[in-house]
Amino acid sequence: MALADTLASPASLDAFWMPFTPNRKFKQSPRLIVGGEGLHYDLADGRRVLDAIAGLWCVNAGHRHPRISAAMKAQIDVLDYASNFQIGHPGAFVLAQRLAEMAPAGMNHVFFTNSGSESVDTALKIALAYHRARGDAARYRLIGRERAYHGVGFGGISVGGIGRQRSTFGPLLNGVDHLPHTLDLARNAFSRGEPAHGIEKADALEALLALHDASTVAAVIVEPVAGSTGVLPPPRGYLKRLREICDKHGILLIFDEVITGFGRLGTSFAADLFGVTPDLITTAKGLTNGAVPMGAVLLRDEVHDAFMQGSVSGIELSHGYTYSGHPLACAAAMATLDAYTQDGLIAQAAATAPYFEECLHALRGLPGVIDVRNVGLLAGIELQPWTEGAGTHAQAVAQHCLDKGGVLVRSVGDTIALSPPFTLERQHVDQIVDSLRAAIAQTARPTDAAA
């Protein structure tokens, strides 16, 4: 019997402490997924729903993609596990080469992790160690951005900028500061792609460097498109300006592409779309289509080569995980990359994006819709907050979409986030938008003004 066929008992519901979930509320009326195929999930109550968030920003090729499932089944019958500590297996090296070929030019080295959180903490550690390897140990400061999400490791929380996640755990890493976020509803509401206004937000980095002394700053980390805070595309020219400032002061620039990597924006990486090459890129999620945990950090040659000094018998970086480059994850990732490239899924995502944009912006004018933001197959619909508290409006809309429209969307604050699989077609876009239109209308209150 498949594990999904075993419905959760009251005891098992109580035993599992769910992540990022109001557990007591959920367990009063649990919603359980028991199967999935293509664009859809099967729920325990017998309903089939359209997955408009690709699992959790990750199932880009659709659920149970035949190519990926076959690769994993074949791998488990040959090699279940091999360490990559001072011994290795071919799959990790082949996958690293594939990723280097897919990455922006000059990023020819890969360090494997198991999640986006691990990728972020790995990139931060590499940045600190890089400066030390070059004899510049004074560089210890890290700069993130307000409203950023960089996972749940202590490094990621420290450079992250979502208050409720930081305040839960008390003091975090020292020597961390934050750039201002880029959301500007007054000037940029209902922008399509990159907003026209806000490049000056990048100049705030110069002010931070003047405050802290640029020679003490090791790295700046940003999401090219901030995801978990409500989908915030970068203002036009913003990322290029950050690159210029970092180059000027000898600071590494890290792009957190855990969400945007592997085709979400219609290109292999956001770095390609925006024409800016960082020094490190963090990835996970879409790397294996969510089929098995895996992450990776992509490095520019100059960063990698700084560690290749001294004795050849010495460990260049004292860092890694038991499951770095796991054979099963490598097999899943190789098949996933084939689906993106050989099966044309990234190209399909790019082709569908204009229709996705057009349909979503047709929601403008509905009661309570105060912004629509999008780039590629990534979008956020921001709703006017209700007096009951932050997030309650979006939660009501998301619940209506699931219960009445048969569509799974995600509420993040008072924004509805969308990141559908690349395999969706126009009729699926129509179903998503029709569900949202009905949900917004049915949950509207007299105080919800139309934008």
Side-chain angles (χ1 to χ4, degrees):
M1 177 181 290
L3 185 60
D5 293 333
T6 307
L7 296 183
S9 67
S12 62
L13 282 171
D14 185 60
F16 178 30
W17 194 351
M18 300 169 67
F20 283 103
T21 300
N23 278 256
R24 291 166 295 174
K25 180 179 179 181
F26 173 89
K27 292 166 186 179
Q28 291 172 359
S29 180
R31 301 180 302 279
L32 300 177
I33 296 167
V34 296
E37 183 177 20
L39 289 162
H40 296 89
Y41 273 134
D42 295 318
L43 303 187
D45 61 12
R47 289 185 297 146
R48 171 161 280 201
V49 299
L50 177 62
D51 178 12
I53 55 175
L56 195 62
W57 324 87
C58 55
V59 188
N60 298 343
H63 296 280
R64 291 198 298 121
H65 190 285
R67 183 189 285 275
I68 301 167
S69 296
M72 294 175 68
K73 290 173 183 176
Q75 178 62 48
I76 200 68
D77 286 336
V78 176
L79 178 63
D80 57 349
Y81 173 77
S83 170
N84 281 297
F85 286 25
Q86 301 174 34
I87 194 170
H89 68 94
F93 295 92
V94 175
L95 175 59
Q97 179 62 29
R98 283 286 302 275
L99 289 172
E101 292 169 354
M102 192 177 189
M107 305 193 80
N108 294 307
H109 302 278
V110 180
F111 194 101
F112 287 117
T113 70
N114 308 289
S115 68
S117 294
E118 289 184 3
S119 291
V120 166
D121 276 20
T122 295
L124 296 177
K125 290 175 73 174
I126 288 174
L128 295 171
Y130 162 80
H131 291 293
R132 286 179 171 268
R134 297 174 65 252
D136 197 359
R139 291 187 181 272
Y140 70 96
R141 295 187 188 276
L142 302 167
I143 295 177
R145 187 168 60 188
E146 296 170 355
R147 293 189 63 161
Y149 178 77
H150 296 296
V152 297
F154 270 99
I157 297 174
S158 298
V159 296
I162 298 178
R164 66 181 181 278
Q165 294 171 12
R166 295 168 54 85
S167 62
T168 301
F169 305 104
L172 301 171
L173 295 185
N174 292 321
V176 175
D177 210 335
H178 295 79
L179 293 165
H181 66 74
T182 61
L183 182 62
D184 186 344
L185 290 179
R187 295 191 296 171
N188 291 328
F190 299 99
S191 296
R192 302 186 180 208
E194 296 174 271
H197 306 285
I199 188 175
E200 72 280 357
K201 296 288 186 73
D203 292 324
L205 178 56
E206 288 280 20
L208 287 181
L209 298 180
L211 173 65
H212 294 300
D213 181 353
S215 68
T216 68
V217 177
V220 172
I221 181 170
V222 295
E223 302 158 276
V225 179
S228 294
T229 189
V231 184
L232 311 182
R236 204 169 299 154
Y238 173 88
L239 295 175
K240 289 183 179 180
R241 182 67 181 127
L242 287 183
R243 176 76 274 181
E244 292 169 358
I245 297 171
C246 286
D247 286 344
K248 173 182 174 183
H249 296 285
I251 297 166
L252 295 183
L253 178 61
I254 304 170
F255 277 3
D256 183 343
E257 294 221 37
V258 170
I259 290 176
T260 57
F262 307 109
R264 175 54 57 188
L265 306 186
T267 53
S268 294
F269 296 94
D272 301 315
L273 179 66
F274 298 121
V276 179
T277 301
D279 299 294
L280 301 100
I281 293 177
T282 65
T283 72
K285 293 191 183 295
L287 174 55
T288 62
N289 200 49
V292 63
M294 191 180 214
V297 179
L298 314 180
L299 302 84
R300 289 185 74 160
D301 296 347
E302 297 87 342
V303 176
H304 168 268
D305 293 349
F307 292 90
M308 302 301 135
Q309 310 294 329
S311 171
V312 296
S313 62
I315 295 174
E316 290 88 2
L317 182 66
S318 296
H319 175 71
Y321 305 95
T322 299
Y323 304 113
S324 291
H326 191 286
L328 191 62
C330 288
M334 289 287 288
T336 300
L337 297 186
D338 287 343
Y340 293 154
T341 55
Q342 296 178 21
D343 297 347
L345 292 188
I346 292 179
Q348 184 174 342
T352 306
Y355 186 72
F356 184 65
E357 174 181 274
E358 196 66 32
C359 292
L360 287 173
H361 278 271
L363 298 174
R364 182 175 185 173
L366 292 180
V369 176
I370 61 176
D371 194 15
V372 176
R373 304 181 285 269
N374 68 284
V375 57
L377 289 186
L378 187 61
I381 299 95
E382 186 158 353
L383 304 172
Q384 183 177 320
W386 284 347
T387 57
E388 290 92 326
T392 54
H393 191 172
Q395 289 168 16
V397 169
Q399 189 67 51
H400 191 284
C401 285
L402 182 62
D403 292 342
K404 306 298 184 181
V407 175
L408 178 64
V409 301
R410 186 162 187 245
S411 61
V412 286
D414 271 306
T415 297
I416 296 294
L418 301 171
S419 59
F422 302 167
T423 53
L424 89 165
E425 298 176 357
R426 286 193 171 202
Q427 66 264 31
H428 303 119
V429 176
D430 293 341
Q431 182 182 352
I432 293 167
V433 175
D434 288 346
S435 174
L436 282 167
R437 182 178 291 108
I440 291 168
Q442 290 297 316
T443 59
R445 297 180 177 180
T447 54
D448 292 339

